[in-house]
């Protein structure tokens, strides 16, 4: 995991330190921390200006594509319209031309009126409102100091936000759980208001002050939420619920939407009304002074805050968790729970969450619900990303929006464009699966059983089947079967796919899977090395793992390295997760060896850690220095296969039919790994584009000069190379001003000049070739516009001269090697 502090992308800016309600569960005024008593009521203009400048400087340094700021309190509306306007304008002014600003305000709603709504509509401020359910539930805690109800005013505020004029600024509702409240009544009251999102929060508690647990259940909070979940799922999930969606995402290997779940490092900092920096507000429930950093906006930067021990402790992912958490089968989803909820006097935060049993039960309940066959629409609705309505799956030709095509042509491609590419690729894989299934011999018992299970899973748990089909090495296998290159592999591959999908759905089906030389392959999940010379294995999923029967033995396996941490047979695919990107380090799949250089064997733990450190450094660099590439990579690059390094150069490659995967040998420096990732992912994107559009005449037999190759290249290869080198050029363009040393910056200047020249020359060749289709001409023109903009950038004369000399030498040598003989 990343051992260096990430950038801060979320800032909570306290506008007012007092509140007009007296909620008895408030973490600011009713828990251990009392620092609010000595702070000014409202933030000053000077603090707003210094905060905005500090955020902008941090965003510029780290090249953040977006910054999220929440105006908070106390009750921020007490600051008044003028001060709120000043805050928004300072932030917009400071970040203009640097980063997008996602600006929000969180309020109790009692003061919200049309004047505030008009202000927020003008300034692009989205509004979240705290509401604990119906009147009885809300007034259990959220009352005025004199005991009066706040419910009617809050509902009026929500009704105002639901008007068509203000609907776009309505961010959602936040509800704190109280076990005394009826979960169905609470959920129904919130859902009836048709908010864009609901967020259920566990009440703040620690081991010193544990939460109330009435009744006999050891998991009352999970029980309460399970009732809500069933109600919500039974109604067709009419409103997104952040907590449930986060569990679903993390169970599928994705990132959480909330800091209370998952293993992502903390990237949130609070600015109080006196200008002091603090850690997350939730820490106020731990002990007096827990969130303090001793820093302020006038004397310290956000990078300084990230060096605070309390912040560093929250950057280590699973390494920061106690032993009980690290050995837990749901740790990737739970992440140890909210950091503040782990506190205990004497051991600090080195404990599981005080809600540990509830979190375990909640995650297991949702895992079970997601695979209920009698409610197939439940599983279908959980497929990521969760849409408001079931989408019509487009044909490959229709997968890309015009704006996506233009964005990709420029060499980039954001999360939405790449997600649509991935959707089109999934459609192609579905078609291949149908073709493979049609080849199954009706007399082959194993193939028939696997095919029937796949059809059943497609109806009952399509998200699980799609996750298995999205494994990058499915398509090479399917094409091999259909092309006759893998004789005898049909039944085994179908069984492996069915077993993988059944495990993802947590289905109790028993699947018979042929072994590959004693290895049980579960694509995208891992492999089991089974002793005894068995030829097949019976696999059955369970809540905490799965059971394998082979060669007369029964072996229990867990989802992690082993149910007890010592199981020798199971080798799971390791996942790297940081900053919104989850990628598999694929060193288990027997079908992964699809590259010009051999794949590495299973990495030892030290090798996996070295890869994780390298990926953390590379991803941090991509996010900070190449932010336009990061969202697409996070959306589409799902697997990296470690390769054996070749002598004399960096090693990386793609397989044309393995969408979402690259192969690479781990380079010595994270910066070089970042370069390999952005370079190879260009090939991944372009391959998917070519599956949806004909960019050139496939009958063209010409061979073309490529400035980086010794041999003439077919048109498709020249297009692939030029497109990949757009990212290479951009990497060196950025690095010539951001590299750590003068020598590194000098080298980057020369590399930029060289690659700019070579890539531009290749794009010009493509534009003149005469074999491009209409879409191909538009695509190459988009590439040319990107390259043309770079040609306007000033480059040191010595770098230009070196690039020119290199180009002339290469062309002269190429002509000599490729001149006609005789």
């Amino acid at each position: 995991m990343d051992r260096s502090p990430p950038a801060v992308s979320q800032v909570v800016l306290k506008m007012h330190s007092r509140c007009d309600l007296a909620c008895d569960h408030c973490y600011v005024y009713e828990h251990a921390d009392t620092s609010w008593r000595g702070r000014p009521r409202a933030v000053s203009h000077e603090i707003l200006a210094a905060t905005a400048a500090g955020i902008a400087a941090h965003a510029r340094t780290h090249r953040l594509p977006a910054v999220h700021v929440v105006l908070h309190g106390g009750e921020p509306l007490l600051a008044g319209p003028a001060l709120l306007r000043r805050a928004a304008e300072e932030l917009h002014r400071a970040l203009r031309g640097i980063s997008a600003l996602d600006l929000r305000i969180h309020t109790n709603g009692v003061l919200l009126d049309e004047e505030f709504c008009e202000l927020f509509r003008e300034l692009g401020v989205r509004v979240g409102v705290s509401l604990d359910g119906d009147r009885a539930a809300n007034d259990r805690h959220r009352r005025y100091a004199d005991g009066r109800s706040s419910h009617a005013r809050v509902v009026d505020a929500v009704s105002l936000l639901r008007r068509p004029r203000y609907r776009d600024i309505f961010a959602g509702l936040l509800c704190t759980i109280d076990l005394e409240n009826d979960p169905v009544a609470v959920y129904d009251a919130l859902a009836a208001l048709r908010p864009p999102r609901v967020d259920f929060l566990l009440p703040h508690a620690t081991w010193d002050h544990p939460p109330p647990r009435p009744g006999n259940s050891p998991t009352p909070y999970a029980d309460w939420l399970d009732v809500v979940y069933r109600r919500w799922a039974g109604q067709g999930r009419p409103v997104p619920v952040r907590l449930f969606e986060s569990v679903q995402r993390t169970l599928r290997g994705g990132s959480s939407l909330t800091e209370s779940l998952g293993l992502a490092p903390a990237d949130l900092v609070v600015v109080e009304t006196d200008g002091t920096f603090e850690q997350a507000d939730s820490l106020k429930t731990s002990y007096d002074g827990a969130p303090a950093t001793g820093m302020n906006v006038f004397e310290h930067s956000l990078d300084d805050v990230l060096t605070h021990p309390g912040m560093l402790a929250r950057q280590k992912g699973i390494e920061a968790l106690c032993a009980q958490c690290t050995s837990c089968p749901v740790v990737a989803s739970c992440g140890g729970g909210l950091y503040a909820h782990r506190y205990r006097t004497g051991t600090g935060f080195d404990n599981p969450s005080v809600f540990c049993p509830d979190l375990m039960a909640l995650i297991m309940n949702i895992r079970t619900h997601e695979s209920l066959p009698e409610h197939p629409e439940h599983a279908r609705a959980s497929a990521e990303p969760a849409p408001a309505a079931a989408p019509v799956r487009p044909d490959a030709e229709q997968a890309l929006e015009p704006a996506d095509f233009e964005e990709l042509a420029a060499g980039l491609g954001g999360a939405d464009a790449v997600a649509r590419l991935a959707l089109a690729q999934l459609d192609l894989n579905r078609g291949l699966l149908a073709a493979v299934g049609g080849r199954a011999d009706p007399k082959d018992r194993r193939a028939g059983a696997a095919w029937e299970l796949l059809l059943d899973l497609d109806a009952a748990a399509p998200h699980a089947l799609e996750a298995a089909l999205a494994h990058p090495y499915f398509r090479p296998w399917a094409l091999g079967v259909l092309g006759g290159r893998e004789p005898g592999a049909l039944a085994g591959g179908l069984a492996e796919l069915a077993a993988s999908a059944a495990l993802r759905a947590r289905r109790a089906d028993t699947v018979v899977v042929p072994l590959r030389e004693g290895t049980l392959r579960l694509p995208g999940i891992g492999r089991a090395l089974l002793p005894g010379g068995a030829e097949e294995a019976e696999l059955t999923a369970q809540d905490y793992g799965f059971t394998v029967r082979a060669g007369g033995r029964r072996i229990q396996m867990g989802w992690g390295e082993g149910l007890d941490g010592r199981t020798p047979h199971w080798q799971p695919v390791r996942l790297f997760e940081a900053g919104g990107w989850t990628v598999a380090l694929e060193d288990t799949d027997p079908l992964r060896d699809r590259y010009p250089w051999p794949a590495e064997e299973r990495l030892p733990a030290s090798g996996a850690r070295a890869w994780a450190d390298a990926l953390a450094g590379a991803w941090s660099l991509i996010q900070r220095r190449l932010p336009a590439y990061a969202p697409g990579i996070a959306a589409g690059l799902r697997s990296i296969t470690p390769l054996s390094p070749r002598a004399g150069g960096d090693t990386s490659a793609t397989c044309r039919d393995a969408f979402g995967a690259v192969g690479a040998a781990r380079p010595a420096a994270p910066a070089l790994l970042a370069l390999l990732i952005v370079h190879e992912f260009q090939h991944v994107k372009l391959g998917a584009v070519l599956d949806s559009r004909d960019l050139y005449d496939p009958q063209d037999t010409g061979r073309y000069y490529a400035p980086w190759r010794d041999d003439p290249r077919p048109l498709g290869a020249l297009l692939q190379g030029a497109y990949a080198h757009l990212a290479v050029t951009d990497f060196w363009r950025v690095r010539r001003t951001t590299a750590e040393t003068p020598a590194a910056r000098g080298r980057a200047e020369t590399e930029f000049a060289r690659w700019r020249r070579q890539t531009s020359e290749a794009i010009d060749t493509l534009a003149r070739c005469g074999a491009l289709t209409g879409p191909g001409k538009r695509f190459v023109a988009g590439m040319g516009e990107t390259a043309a903009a770079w040609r306007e950038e000033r480059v040191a004369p010595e770098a230009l001269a070196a690039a020119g000399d290199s180009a002339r030498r290469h062309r002269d040598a190429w002509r000599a090697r490729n001149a006609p003989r005789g």
Side-chain angles (χ1 to χ4, degrees):
M1 302 300 291
D2 193 348
R3 301 182 188 279
S4 60
V8 171
S9 64
Q10 302 181 68
V11 176
V12 173
L13 176 55
K14 296 300 188 73
M15 298 299 300
H16 204 278
S17 65
R18 303 297 189 270
C19 189
D20 44 4
L21 294 182
C23 307
D24 57 14
H25 58 5
C26 179
Y27 57 77
V28 176
Y29 307 111
E30 302 295 335
H31 282 268
D33 187 80
T34 60
S35 58
W36 64 272
R37 299 180 186 276
R39 292 199 167 102
R41 290 177 177 268
V43 68
S44 69
H45 292 179
E46 293 75 19
I47 289 171
L48 291 177
T51 300
I55 293 173
H58 187 76
R60 182 185 294 107
T61 298
H62 294 275
R63 293 180 176 265
L64 297 180
V67 173
H68 308 274
V69 179
V70 180
L71 306 179
H72 213 283
E75 170 48 51
L77 297 186
L78 288 173
L83 193 58
L84 291 171
R85 174 182 289 279
R86 181 67 172 259
E89 290 177 344
E90 289 280 4
L91 289 163
H92 279 296
R93 186 183 304 114
L95 287 164
R96 188 172 295 117
I98 300 173
S99 297
L101 174 62
D102 176 13
L103 185 56
R104 305 189 178 213
I105 190 167
H106 193 85
T107 173
N108 61 35
V110 298
L111 293 179
L112 190 67
D113 57 17
E114 289 194 35
E115 180 183 4
F116 278 121
C117 286
E118 285 295 327
L119 175 71
F120 299 148
R121 184 171 180 268
E122 173 193 348
L123 298 172
V125 182
R126 301 192 67 204
V127 184
V129 178
S130 293
L131 180 65
D132 286 350
D134 58 3
R135 176 166 180 156
N138 192 71
D139 288 351
R140 193 178 299 279
H141 300 288
R142 296 188 182 278
R143 290 179 173 269
Y144 289 95
D146 60 6
R148 286 180 296 128
S149 169
S150 66
H151 183 260
R153 288 205 172 191
V154 181
V155 171
D156 287 344
V158 174
S159 298
L160 182 62
L161 289 169
R162 287 177 53 200
R163 292 183 189 176
R165 181 172 180 80
Y166 304 126
R167 184 74 185 182
D168 287 347
I169 66 169
F170 189 13
L173 298 176
L174 184 149
C175 171
T176 301
I177 297 167
D178 188 312
L179 298 178
E180 297 296 324
N181 293 331
D182 180 346
V184 171
V186 168
Y187 166 76
D188 284 351
L190 298 177
L193 295 172
R194 295 165 55 202
R197 182 178 296 277
V198 172
D199 203 0
F200 288 104
L201 300 183
L202 293 168
H204 284 308
T206 67
W207 289 100
D208 291 350
H209 301 283
R213 294 184 177 276
N216 297 322
S217 171
T219 59
Y221 294 90
D223 298 343
W224 194 96
L225 283 164
D226 188 53
V227 173
V228 174
Y229 185 92
R230 290 174 180 272
R231 182 79 165 180
W232 174 71
Q235 293 179 350
R237 312 179 186 216
V239 56
V241 176
R242 191 189 307 272
L243 180 62
F244 299 154
E245 289 181 340
S246 293
V247 173
Q248 293 162 352
R249 287 166 62 97
T250 54
L251 283 174
R252 295 195 299 272
S255 58
S256 173
L257 301 171
T258 169
E259 67 169 332
S260 61
L261 292 171
L263 292 168
D267 63 352
L268 180 147
V269 169
V270 178
V271 178
E272 289 286 354
T273 56
D274 59 358
T276 55
F277 285 120
E278 288 203 339
Q279 301 172 68
D281 263 4
S282 57
L283 287 172
K284 293 179 185 294
T285 195
S286 304
Y287 59 89
D288 199 8
T293 66
M295 303 182 198
N296 64 74
V297 297
F298 298 109
E299 299 172 329
H300 304 90
S301 69
L302 287 170
D303 281 301
D304 293 333
V305 180
L306 285 171
T307 66
H308 184 272
M311 294 294 296
L312 290 174
R314 303 178 66 193
Q315 311 305 316
K316 298 179 180 179
I318 197 169
E319 295 178 12
L321 301 181
C322 67
Q324 179 178 332
C325 289
T326 57
S327 61
C328 176
V330 299
V331 64
S333 288
C334 172
L338 193 68
Y339 190 72
H341 293 172
R342 307 173 201 168
Y343 183 75
R344 187 198 299 265
T345 300
T347 54
F349 298 96
D350 190 25
N351 309 288
S353 168
V354 72
F355 291 100
C356 176
D358 295 282
L359 293 171
M360 167 74 84
L362 171 67
I363 293 166
M364 299 309 298
N365 286 344
I366 291 178
R367 174 183 287 174
T368 300
H369 290 319
E370 290 300 304
S371 62
L372 285 177
E374 64 269 27
H375 296 297
E377 71 277 8
H378 297 182
R380 188 173 292 112
S382 74
E384 187 177 0
V392 176
R393 195 175 295 281
D395 294 331
E397 286 285 343
Q398 301 169 335
L400 291 179
E401 301 287 343
D404 298 334
F405 188 79
E406 300 303 323
E407 187 179 4
L408 288 160
L412 302 173
D416 290 343
V418 174
R420 280 186 275 271
L421 286 178
L423 185 62
Q425 293 290 297
L426 185 58
D427 282 338
L428 293 174
N429 285 358
R430 278 183 166 276
L432 286 172
L433 177 60
V436 169
R439 296 280 186 93
D441 184 348
K443 299 178 182 179
D444 188 329
R445 175 183 54 83
R446 291 182 302 188
W451 182 243
E452 289 300 321
L453 178 55
L454 287 167
L455 293 175
D456 186 27
L457 286 163
D458 193 23
H463 67 290
L465 176 59
E466 290 181 354
L469 282 175
H471 182 53
Y473 302 114
F474 164 78
R475 189 182 301 177
W477 165 80
L479 292 173
V481 170
L482 296 173
R485 295 186 300 277
E486 301 210 20
L490 189 152
L494 286 179
E496 291 168 342
L497 184 70
S500 175
L503 285 180
R504 293 175 188 277
R506 274 42 175 196
R507 293 256 302 221
D509 305 83
T510 295
V511 189
V512 179
V513 186
L515 303 182
R516 296 174 182 262
E517 298 180 351
T519 298
L520 171 63
R521 172 182 177 258
L522 297 171
I525 298 176
R527 69 183 180 188
L529 307 179
L530 301 178
E535 294 184 355
E536 64 181 26
E538 293 183 354
L539 180 147
T540 308
Q542 297 176 332
D543 279 347
Y544 293 92
F546 56 98
T547 299
V548 175
R549 291 180 175 85
R553 298 185 59 182
R554 179 180 181 275
I555 304 172
Q556 185 77 15
M557 300 190 185
W559 298 115
E561 291 288 351
L563 194 61
D564 58 3
R566 297 183 296 275
T567 303
H569 309 291
W570 175 234
Q571 295 180 345
V573 173
R574 298 169 172 124
L575 295 179
F576 168 82
E577 183 174 16
W581 183 35
T582 300
V583 66
L585 196 62
E586 180 56 88
D587 59 355
T588 67
D589 196 323
L591 303 186
R592 71 190 185 280
D593 205 359
R594 302 278 173 174
Y595 302 96
W597 299 279
E600 289 271 36
E601 293 301 320
R602 174 70 169 181
L603 298 172
S606 59
R609 285 194 295 271
W611 259 103
D613 288 342
L615 284 169
W619 182 237
S620 176
L621 188 149
I622 291 170
Q623 287 186 301
R624 291 182 289 113
R625 307 305 188 195
L626 298 164
Y629 295 85
I633 291 171
L637 183 52
R638 295 305 187 195
S639 181
I640 293 178
T641 293
L643 302 180
S644 297
R646 61 185 173 123
D650 296 318
T651 304
S652 65
T654 55
C655 171
R656 173 63 178 85
D657 298 315
F659 176 80
V662 303
R666 179 172 57 85
L672 290 181
L673 181 56
L675 174 57
L676 296 182
I677 287 172
V678 296
H679 171 198
E680 296 299 345
F681 192 64
Q682 295 291 97
H683 290 300
V684 173
K685 290 186 295 185
L686 182 56
V689 171
L690 289 168
D691 284 336
S692 66
R693 297 283 199 283
D694 287 327
L695 300 185
Y696 58 90
D697 181 0
Q699 302 303 315
D700 180 78
T701 59
R703 292 293 185 268
Y704 300 87
Y705 173 67
W708 51 83
R709 292 281 301 221
D710 294 337
D711 55 334
R713 304 297 290 158
L715 186 60
L718 181 65
L719 176 61
Q720 284 278 1
Y723 191 71
H725 292 145
L726 283 174
V728 173
T729 308
D730 209 4
F731 173 88
W732 292 115
R733 182 183 71 87
V734 171
R735 192 155 178 80
R736 62 196 180 124
T737 59
T738 59
E740 294 77 11
T741 66
R745 292 192 292 273
R747 182 205 170 190
E749 182 87 356
T750 301
E751 292 290 337
F752 171 61
R754 179 167 72 94
W755 285 109
R756 181 179 67 172
R757 182 183 182 115
Q758 291 180 350
T759 306
S760 296
E761 185 176 354
I763 292 171
D764 290 343
T765 300
L766 289 167
R768 296 192 308 266
C769 74
L772 298 179
T773 63
K777 291 176 182 178
R778 294 197 302 275
F779 197 87
V780 171
M783 295 167 59
E785 289 176 6
T786 298
W790 294 336
R791 285 197 289 266
E792 301 298 321
E793 296 190 20
R794 184 182 179 279
V795 176
E798 57 272 22
L800 285 175
D805 290 343
S806 175
R808 283 187 291 273
R809 287 194 302 271
H810 183 272
R811 185 173 282 276
D812 290 344
W814 188 90
R815 286 171 174 161
R817 281 190 296 269
N818 295 285
R821 301 296 180 185

